[in-house]
Amino acid sequence: MARVLLSTVRSYTLKLSALQLPRSTCVWKNTAKHFSTTHRQLSNYKYTEKHEWVAVDGNIGTIGITNYAQEALGDIVYAQLPEVETQYEQMEECGALESVKAASELYCPVSGKVTEINTAVEDQPSLINKSCYDEGWLFKLELTAPSEIDELMDEAAYEKFLKDSEE
Amino acid sequence: MALRKLATDALARGVLASESLVGKELSSIPKAWASTSAAVKVKNNRKTEDLKDLPKRTVFISQSSDIFSNLALEDWLYKNWSFERRNVLLLWRNSPCVVIGRHQNPQVEANLSYLESAGVPLARRGSGGGAVYHDHGNLNCTFFTTRDRYDRHTNLEMICRALHLDFGIQAHPNSRDDIIMDHDHKVSGSAAKLGRSTAYHHCTLLVNTDRHQLKLTLNGDKSIKSKATASTPAHVMNLSEMKPGITVEQVLTSVGRAFLGHDQALANGFTLVNPTDEWFPGLGELEAVLRSARWLEGQTPRCTITRSVPIPQGLLPHASNTSLAVTVQAYHGLVEEVRMEDDTEKEGVAELVQDIGAGLRGAPFSSDTFNIIAGRLRFSPALTHFPLPASARPIPTPTRSVI
């Protein structure tokens, strides 16, 4: 009986989360950026030129894609994440994000060994579109070359990079 | 580099060969094409750029009709070449085969037992999208560009203009980047792969495909639940139904010519290529990966399949129960979990099913998996005291090997 109730509640909440918010237009893009900026003030986020972010906590780095990348891809329908315990070099191909028939490669921004993948994103790829800095994180890895982090852009440098490339 | 020398040799050979190939077809293409070419229109729309900065255009025609060699060639060009200074169009055809998208489930998309009996191979490509059927009546076009110049719609518009100007066929790309003819019939589907600096967009073009075979092969098991990319079914149509007598060679020439455009300085002509290790060092390894079970089955997303498994009568509380709903969860082609679906069950049976699941974990998932589960349920030592009715005879083990 309880199981039946639970499954009903579960399917109801799933239906609710399936309601998509309207896609952001140019104006919305800027507001969305500000909102997510305040959200991630606390962590130490670094960025790559290919619009991936790394948040370092001790020796573990969490990896995801930025708002710019998520918008460029469109609605993500499937996330193929790397396998746990696999070692990757910086810039090595480690997975793919599929959106509207285009499969975009995922590149590892820093070298390391994968310790955890975000299974929520496997079940619900739209999390990457809705919350790319928070719930839409992709995977965590144990850094093997922490010095690579210093070569990446910080938030100010990344914002400047975006402005320069828009010209 | 060795390849450049080979390519120049090939170019010399290719130009000669393509002339003989193209010679007959050229005379049939209307002259009006030349003066009102799509390529001229495109040039006028472009911002004024120095001619030297514009990328040169080359058309490659693959000499192989093996799906794995051709997919490997596509992968090779994508991984090894830079497209800053050139745009490449690769034109290829395959013997009958089914190609599924990067994140699809073969069992859901194709009728695997029919494929095996008909000798039609199954391949998985590196780009996203749905499942398609290829044969000699289908032309594949792959447009290679840099990531910045990736533009599906322009490529498809170019194809439609070529079809219209050379054959009088009215077709147009829709919002899903399919080419539609006759209101809602699909003649082409697209998919793409985007990398760090390179991207490719490829599409099919149904000229003269066996539609009956297409329907029989793309008839998979839709009861499987998963997050895999689903194919969007569509009414398909051949170009030959609109323009009888049209051949793949004619369409190949037309599309190739439209791609090269009118600018002699930018057009590098047609080149015949052979997807082998001698022409493209390292191609063999890429082909081996595409043929491997790890790529074909190992990329399959998590899925759950529920079937009824026959069991000894009396095992479950209701005396009339002769079957049990069992769910198998598979990930990357391997069994992950086996569980029972019925709520009202005896403690012992649920545990039994879980034990079977533990035993099968990591084994390849195939059409035989449910038979194996049924066998283990029936002949488990815990159930030896249950009398076997005549209806629960052991299922004969199939003689063909597991996929």
Side-chain angles (χ1 to χ4, degrees):
Chain A
M1 306 300 165
R3 207 173 297 181
V4 172
L5 273 173
L6 257 171
S7 59
T8 324
V9 170
R10 211 175 288 139
S11 61
Y12 187 61
T13 46
L14 272 172
K15 281 190 198 125
L16 282 177
S17 59
L19 288 170
Q20 288 277 9
L21 296 166
R23 306 266 342 113
S24 36
T25 59
C26 287
V27 175
W28 281 72
K29 187 170 155 185
N30 291 325
T31 22
K33 247 192 243 169
H34 287 304
F35 172 80
S36 42
T37 305
T38 48
H39 197 78
R40 50 185 158 85
Q41 252 170 15
L42 304 164
S43 288
N44 180 18
Y45 280 73
K46 287 281 199 163
Y47 303 86
T48 68
E49 282 185 10
K50 289 297 169 182
H51 313 288
E52 293 139 0
W53 56 261
V54 189
V56 184
D57 185 10
N59 200 32
I60 302 284
T62 308
I63 299 180
I65 59 168
T66 65
N67 190 46
Y68 182 88
Q70 155 300 99
E71 272 191 358
L73 283 172
D75 291 330
I76 297 173
V77 297
Y78 190 78
Q80 192 213 331
L81 301 173
E83 297 211 14
V84 184
E85 299 289 308
T86 330
Q87 192 96 14
Y88 289 104
E89 291 295 316
Q90 194 178 33
M91 301 310 163
E92 204 184 322
E93 227 175 84
C94 61
L97 297 174
E98 186 171 336
S99 64
V100 203
K101 299 191 283 184
S104 292
E105 302 280 12
L106 211 57
Y107 295 93
C108 209
V110 287
S111 316
K113 191 168 84 157
V114 181
T115 53
E116 205 186 323
I117 58 173
N118 188 359
T119 45
V121 145
E122 279 187 329
D123 279 333
Q124 216 192 328
S126 54
L127 269 177
I128 305 174
N129 293 113
K130 285 185 245 183
S131 172
C132 52
Y133 294 109
D134 187 18
E135 288 167 10
W137 64 273
L138 298 174
F139 59 97
K140 291 190 207 270
L141 44 61
E142 194 184 306
L143 303 170
T144 49
S147 56
E148 285 166 353
I149 297 282
D150 303 324
E151 290 163 30
L152 301 177
M153 295 184 272
D154 64 6
E155 201 166 318
Y158 180 65
E159 301 271 323
K160 183 172 181 299
F161 171 71
L162 282 180
K163 281 206 185 73
D164 289 342
S165 52
E166 264 167 44
E167 284 157 24
Chain B
M1 282 174 68
L3 178 63
R4 204 167 292 166
K5 182 173 92 91
L6 282 168
T8 44
D9 288 342
L11 193 65
R13 270 180 288 150
V15 166
L16 289 172
S18 68
E19 272 180 358
S20 60
L21 177 85
V22 155
K24 279 186 199 160
E25 276 72 35
L26 268 179
S27 54
S28 58
I29 292 171
K31 291 291 174 194
W33 179 99
S35 55
T36 55
S37 164
V40 175
K41 282 190 209 152
V42 170
K43 200 167 138 195
N44 291 336
N45 287 341
R46 252 188 247 135
K47 290 175 209 158
T48 46
E49 280 175 70
D50 191 12
L51 209 65
K52 287 181 212 141
D53 290 342
L54 292 171
K56 297 212 187 299
R57 295 165 161 247
T58 318
V59 176
F60 282 164
I61 301 173
S62 171
Q63 294 294 84
S64 167
S65 60
D66 172 39
I67 179 66
F68 298 103
S69 308
N70 285 324
L71 284 175
L73 174 60
E74 213 181 35
D75 208 18
W76 193 97
L77 288 170
Y78 163 78
K79 287 190 164 110
N80 292 301
W81 271 22
S82 151
F83 296 95
E84 286 287 331
R85 314 234 357 111
R86 61 187 148 211
N87 285 349
V88 172
L89 168 63
L90 174 67
L91 297 168
W92 41 297
R93 276 196 278 178
N94 303 308
S95 325
C97 62
V98 168
V99 183
I100 57 172
R102 172 92 180 257
H103 304 126
Q104 289 205 298
N105 191 331
Q107 276 190 303
V108 174
E109 302 302 329
N111 188 343
L112 295 175
S113 52
Y114 176 74
L115 288 184
E116 208 177 306
S117 58
V120 173
L122 177 84
R124 184 190 293 270
R125 59 178 186 265
S127 60
V132 284
Y133 171 74
H134 290 179
D135 68 8
H136 286 287
N138 167 59
L139 179 68
N140 298 300
C141 314
T142 308
F143 298 85
F144 291 91
T145 57
T146 55
R147 178 83 190 248
D148 305 323
R149 291 198 203 112
Y150 165 71
D151 186 354
R152 280 206 302 229
H153 211 75
T154 306
N155 297 336
L156 297 173
E157 296 247 307
M158 183 213 80
I159 295 177
C160 291
R161 272 196 298 261
L163 290 176
H164 178 57
L165 289 166
D166 291 338
F167 309 104
I169 293 172
Q170 298 275 41
H172 61 94
N174 72 358
S175 57
R176 284 194 71 243
D177 282 337
D178 292 335
I179 296 182
I180 305 291
M181 202 166 73
D182 193 27
H183 302 299
D184 64 342
H185 286 85
K186 182 172 161 178
V187 289
S188 159
S190 288
K193 180 156 165 177
L194 308 173
R196 201 158 206 102
S197 49
T198 306
Y200 68 75
H201 156 227
H202 55 196
C203 60
T204 55
L205 203 48
L206 294 175
V207 181
N208 206 357
T209 307
D210 184 349
R211 279 174 51 189
H212 183 61
Q213 183 89 310
L214 191 154
K215 230 187 247 192
L216 287 173
T217 52
L218 296 179
N219 190 17
D221 185 355
K222 302 293 175 197
S223 68
I224 297 176
K225 295 189 194 72
S226 81
K227 295 282 173 189
T229 319
S231 292
T232 314
H235 292 293
V236 295
M237 195 167 170
N238 279 316
L239 289 175
S240 58
E241 290 174 54
M242 210 36 111
K243 173 120 182 133
I246 192 175
T247 63
V248 177
E249 284 82 14
Q250 289 173 343
V251 177
L252 187 150
T253 316
S254 163
V255 170
R257 298 277 291 205
F259 177 77
L260 289 173
H262 262 312
D263 231 316
Q264 289 301 315
L266 294 180
N268 265 344
F270 287 76
T271 308
L272 299 178
V273 294
N274 219 336
T276 59
D277 249 335
E278 291 110 35
W279 284 51
F280 304 96
L283 191 101
E285 281 167 27
L286 294 173
E287 198 180 315
V289 168
L290 286 164
R291 283 185 201 270
S292 68
R294 187 156 176 234
W295 175 254
L296 281 172
E297 271 115 48
Q299 296 285 318
T300 308
R302 189 171 281 118
C303 59
T304 52
I305 308 102
T306 307
R307 296 263 165 81
S308 276
V309 168
I311 47 158
Q313 207 163 11
L315 183 66
L316 288 185
H318 300 282
S320 55
N321 265 353
T322 49
S323 69
L324 185 63
V326 173
T327 298
V328 174
Q329 188 171 296
Y331 182 59
H332 285 182
L334 304 173
V335 174
E336 215 177 29
E337 198 191 317
V338 179
R339 55 176 185 264
M340 228 166 63
E341 285 304 311
D342 295 337
D343 278 345
T344 52
E345 83 279 6
K346 275 191 198 163
E347 284 292 313
V349 182
E351 273 169 20
L352 191 57
V353 172
Q354 275 176 354
D355 282 342
I356 294 174
L360 280 174
R361 190 161 298 135
F365 175 76
S366 74
S367 50
D368 291 332
T369 303
F370 282 97
N371 290 344
I372 295 168
I373 295 171
R376 290 192 186 182
L377 264 178
R378 189 168 302 113
F379 298 109
S380 143
L383 302 173
T384 43
H385 60 284
F386 275 99
L388 290 175
S391 58
R393 264 189 213 105
I395 297 166
T397 321
T399 47
R400 62 178 167 81
S401 55
V402 168
I403 296 167

